[in-house]
């Protein structure tokens, strides 16, 4: 297990280090993606635009990105939608899923730049960094759609029999990884999530992935490292709710780690707490 955890940490460290230099590949792509696809509201034409854009970028890196169509019902209507998966074959079939939703939060604030173009484009950065590198384990980079209106993409992914989850030994969710004060890393809540929509659920609260990521970030001397989110009235220290794409994987018994810069409960560094991301702060967000 130790080697497996090391690989997942490696993947995440790369994702995060990509944002430390404003001019690098990932940062530039993040700006281009956001400008080209706007806010990417669920069930909008921008989904197909974003899907096409991402697919072409993976192709340019020499990967084949597989579109996985699914349907979901919301507000009495049925929608057709798509996840996108890129497989980086390793020496072992044992697999780490690194996922991020590519739809965006609409309305005010950063208009989808932070939540969640940041996570989606980090996956592209990981793909570039791992290109042609021998991997001991397989890595699946998965872009989920329709997270903001009900976490439909990742639910569809784990419920899809074609996606063999038996070999998945960990899932890392990147959602809103920039824009807050620090990067927090959560594990699933010790009180089991409601897993009603997940076929054959088998809840896991295993915090091992969170702990290893935190200890490795310290050893890498990342500028701010990862932090454990403080305890609050709703959640124990380091644990989080079911509001993002890690939840269906936890329901399937897979250890999860959720990376999020949002701090919903305290005023963060310089006053940029996570709540700001979803609220009007035109003075701040106009800079992007
Ligand atoms: Zn999000």
């Amino acid at each position: 297990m130790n080697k497996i955890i090391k690989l997942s940490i490696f993947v995440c460290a790369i994702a995060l280090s990509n944002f430390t230099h404003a001019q690098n590949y990932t940062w530039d792509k993040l700006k281009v993606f956001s400008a080209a696809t706007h806010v990417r509201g669920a069930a909008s034409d921008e989904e197909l635009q974003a899907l096409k854009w991402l697919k072409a970028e993976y192709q340019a890196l020499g990967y084949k990105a597989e579109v996985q169509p699914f349907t979901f019902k919301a507000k009495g209507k049925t929608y057709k939608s798509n996840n996108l998966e890129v497989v980086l074959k390793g020496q072992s079939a044992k697999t780490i899923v690194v996922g991020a939703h590519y739809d965006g939060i609409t309305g005010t604030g950063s208009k989808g730049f932070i939540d969640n173009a940041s996570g989606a484009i980090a996956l592209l950065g990981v793909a570039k960094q791992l290109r042609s590198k021998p991997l001991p384990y397989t890595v699946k980079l998965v872009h989920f759609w329709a997270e903001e209106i009900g976490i439909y993409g990742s639910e569809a992914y784990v419920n899809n029999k074609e996606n063999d989850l038996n070999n998945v030994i960990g899932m890392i969710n990147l959602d809103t990884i920039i824009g807050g004060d620090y990067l927090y890393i959560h594990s699933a809540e010790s009180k089991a999530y409601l897993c009603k929509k997940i076929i054959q659920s088998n809840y896991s609260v295993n915090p091992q992935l969170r702990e290893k990521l935190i200890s490795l970030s310290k050893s890498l001397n990342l500028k701010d490292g990862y932090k454990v989110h403080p305890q609050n009235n709703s959640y124990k220290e380091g644990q989080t709710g079911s509001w993002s794409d890690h939840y269906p994987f936890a329901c399937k018994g897979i250890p999860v780690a959720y990376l999020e810069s949002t701090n919903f409960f305290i005023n963060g560094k310089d006053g940029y707490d996570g709540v700001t991301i979803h609220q009007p702060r035109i003075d701040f967000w106009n800079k992007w």
Side-chain angles (χ1 to χ4, degrees):
M1 189 68 183
N2 203 26
K3 272 191 187 169
I4 295 162
I5 296 293
K6 273 185 183 160
L7 172 67
S8 64
I9 293 163
F10 174 57
V11 169
C12 261
I14 288 168
L16 297 170
S17 64
N18 276 336
F19 287 101
T20 58
H21 302 291
Q23 294 307 313
N24 74 10
Y25 171 87
T26 311
W27 184 251
D28 289 344
K29 291 291 180 192
L30 174 56
K31 288 190 285 189
V32 174
F33 176 74
S34 278
T37 63
H38 309 289
V39 292
R40 304 170 313 284
S44 70
D45 293 342
E46 292 154 3
E47 174 191 358
L48 291 178
Q49 228 176 321
L51 190 73
K52 206 172 145 191
W53 189 96
L54 286 166
K55 217 177 152 191
E57 290 294 328
Y58 281 111
Q59 254 163 10
L61 290 174
Y63 292 106
K64 186 174 175 289
E66 186 205 354
V67 177
Q68 296 189 348
F70 65 95
T71 56
F72 66 95
K73 281 186 186 161
K75 294 176 186 166
K77 281 169 87 176
T78 300
Y79 296 97
K80 287 183 179 174
S81 191
N82 303 279
N83 293 327
L84 187 72
E85 181 184 74
V86 178
V87 179
L88 285 66
K89 279 227 162 83
Q91 287 157 3
S92 165
K94 294 214 176 295
T95 300
I96 301 280
V97 171
V98 189
H101 72 86
Y102 70 106
D103 58 315
I105 188 149
T106 54
T108 55
S110 77
K111 297 184 188 293
F113 184 87
I114 302 300
D115 186 1
N116 189 34
S118 68
I121 301 306
L123 295 190
L124 190 63
V126 169
K128 183 167 191 291
Q129 295 289 329
L130 296 186
R131 191 169 52 160
S132 312
K133 288 199 169 71
L135 297 173
Y137 297 94
T138 296
V139 176
K140 288 186 176 175
L141 306 174
V142 189
H143 294 268
F144 304 112
W145 186 255
E147 187 268 354
E148 294 294 354
I149 58 162
I151 319 183
Y152 294 105
S154 48
E155 281 176 355
Y157 184 89
V158 303
N159 283 336
N160 181 351
K161 284 189 206 126
E162 311 240 322
N163 291 325
D164 177 14
L165 298 182
N166 290 329
N167 282 321
V168 177
I169 52 170
M171 190 275 180
I172 299 168
N173 180 30
L174 308 179
D175 188 0
T176 313
I177 60 170
I178 58 172
D181 55 353
Y182 294 103
L183 196 61
Y184 297 93
I185 174 158
H186 313 288
S187 57
E189 195 183 359
S190 43
K191 181 180 156 213
Y193 297 152
L194 282 177
C195 297
K196 282 191 294 194
K197 288 159 79 182
I198 307 303
I199 298 165
Q200 292 181 330
S201 69
N202 172 31
Y203 190 73
S204 168
V205 68
N206 187 338
Q208 193 178 8
L209 202 52
R210 178 194 73 198
E211 292 307 304
K212 293 289 181 184
L213 282 166
I214 287 167
S215 64
L216 187 77
S217 97
K218 285 184 182 144
S219 73
L220 288 175
N221 295 317
L222 297 176
K223 189 167 163 277
D224 290 318
Y226 303 170
K227 289 189 186 298
V228 175
H229 197 286
Q231 180 166 343
N232 56 71
N233 291 339
S234 305
Y235 298 100
K236 291 181 183 167
E237 182 182 82
Q239 298 188 2
T240 194
S242 57
W243 52 61
S244 186
D245 295 309
H246 58 287
Y247 118 75
F249 290 85
C251 286
K252 282 301 235 177
I254 295 165
V256 299
Y258 170 19
L259 276 66
E260 176 188 39
S261 67
T262 306
N263 185 331
F264 284 97
F265 303 101
I266 59 169
N267 281 329
K269 192 178 171 186
D270 302 326
Y272 296 151
D273 58 277
V275 179
T276 309
I277 293 162
H278 301 290
Q279 290 181 349
R281 279 289 308 271
I282 298 304
D283 54 329
F284 178 69
W285 294 116
N286 273 354
K287 284 196 289 192
W288 301 94

